[in-house]
Amino acid sequence: MALGLMLGLMLGLPLAEPAGAQDGPPAPRVASAVKNLRFVPLAALPRAPGGAGRQAGCPGEVVPAQSEAAQAVAARDWFVTGEAALGRYRAVSFASDLQQGTSGTCFIADGNVGLFEGPRLVALVYGAGRTGAVGRIAARAGGVRLWDGDLPLSPVGDLTLRPDGTLSLEPLPTVESVCGGRGAVPAIRGQPIDTARAALIAAGWTPVKGPPSDDARERDLARRGVIEVDGCSGTGLAYCSFRYAGAAGALSVTTTGDGDLPEVHEYGVTCR
């Protein structure tokens, strides 16, 4: 049972309303502009469905509970998948079930993100009707990035702390600043690699010609003008990698799918 549904049943409250009464300091203001994700004040975390003793299907996604907040989550029998600081708060991502997928992927079921002050829970992000809507988190400049729990995991939004103290869940930026503002990456996720590379070139990234290959798929991409293909996998999610260089550093792009022009799944930047 998803945590959002569990909370609604336990507390007898509509899911769109705050899911728990706050004792002590007032609850923080929260806002979500990300489709399918709810963000509510919450003071008490239920135990995970299934209780203690169960095993994660992909244990590599479970991280040690380092902070008081993460330890409080683990004590309620949830699997901790990430934690990061956000102003005076601590964000902790956690889930009740992790299932191994193809190509080393992991489906994260009933994932959530809790916001804590010390060990005290103050707010919760959870999926609205989708058990794979929240997967894990990681710190980023100016906030905390959220990934979903689907196969493969994809970023879905950023948690930020506004100047007025509101905790805000924002959509992914249309252009992401990298390397302290010395470079920028346009929103290329989900785009065919030929469309994505045109946007990257316009943003100042130069394709780096890949090595000679006997792989039919890599050679076909090169014939189509995508000379920066750096390798492809013929199994699972059919990953391909591509390399670019810019004034800020090196950019790597990963696609999935076995079509003629696979779609961008993720990218990473190594700053100079």
Side-chain angles (χ1 to χ4, degrees):
M1 179 183 294
L3 179 53
L5 178 57
M6 182 197 308
L7 292 172
L9 293 174
M10 289 176 60
L11 301 172
L13 296 173
L15 293 184
E17 298 298 325
Q22 293 279 349
D23 295 325
R29 293 185 298 275
V30 298
S32 175
V34 177
K35 186 179 179 181
N36 294 325
L37 291 184
R38 303 280 179 82
F39 198 4
V40 296
L42 185 68
L45 181 65
R47 287 196 176 276
R54 69 198 189 289
Q55 299 295 314
C58 30
E61 287 291 332
V62 181
V63 303
Q66 297 181 338
S67 66
E68 285 185 296
Q71 290 165 12
V73 169
R76 304 298 287 174
D77 302 326
W78 297 92
F79 296 122
V80 176
T81 59
E83 57 178 304
L86 183 63
R88 70 177 186 273
Y89 300 102
R90 189 77 177 174
V92 180
S93 57
F94 55 94
S96 65
D97 187 24
L98 290 83
Q99 304 167 15
Q100 188 72 54
T102 186
S103 299
T105 58
C106 182
F107 179 77
I108 301 177
D110 190 16
N112 311 270
V113 178
L115 277 297
F116 293 79
E117 287 189 279
R120 186 175 69 90
L121 178 67
V122 297
L124 184 81
V125 178
Y126 64 94
R130 295 177 60 241
T131 58
V134 182
R136 58 178 171 83
I137 60 172
R140 66 178 297 273
V144 176
R145 177 145 294 175
L146 276 70
W147 278 262
D148 65 18
D150 285 340
L151 302 178
L153 273 61
S154 299
V156 292
D158 292 324
L159 269 172
T160 63
L161 183 60
R162 296 178 185 169
D164 68 358
T166 299
L167 288 163
S168 180
L169 183 55
E170 305 287 347
L172 296 172
T174 55
V175 177
E176 185 160 24
S177 177
V178 296
C179 304
R182 291 183 290 114
V185 181
I188 57 173
R189 294 183 182 91
Q191 294 184 358
I193 186 60
D194 60 337
T195 303
R197 77 188 301 269
L200 290 172
I201 291 169
W205 297 97
T206 301
V208 176
K209 187 174 182 179
S213 175
D214 293 329
D215 181 87
R217 191 155 175 245
E218 294 172 34
R219 293 174 66 179
D220 182 62
L221 283 164
R223 280 195 297 268
R224 291 173 179 269
V226 189
I227 60 167
E228 64 272 28
V229 59
D230 193 43
C232 288
S233 168
T235 60
L237 294 172
Y239 289 115
C240 286
S241 60
F242 306 82
R243 294 189 300 148
Y244 304 83
L251 170 69
S252 61
V253 172
T254 303
T255 61
T256 58
D258 55 7
D260 292 338
L261 293 166
E263 295 183 351
V264 173
H265 169 62
E266 189 55 284
Y267 62 81
V269 177
T270 302
C271 301
R272 295 188 190 280

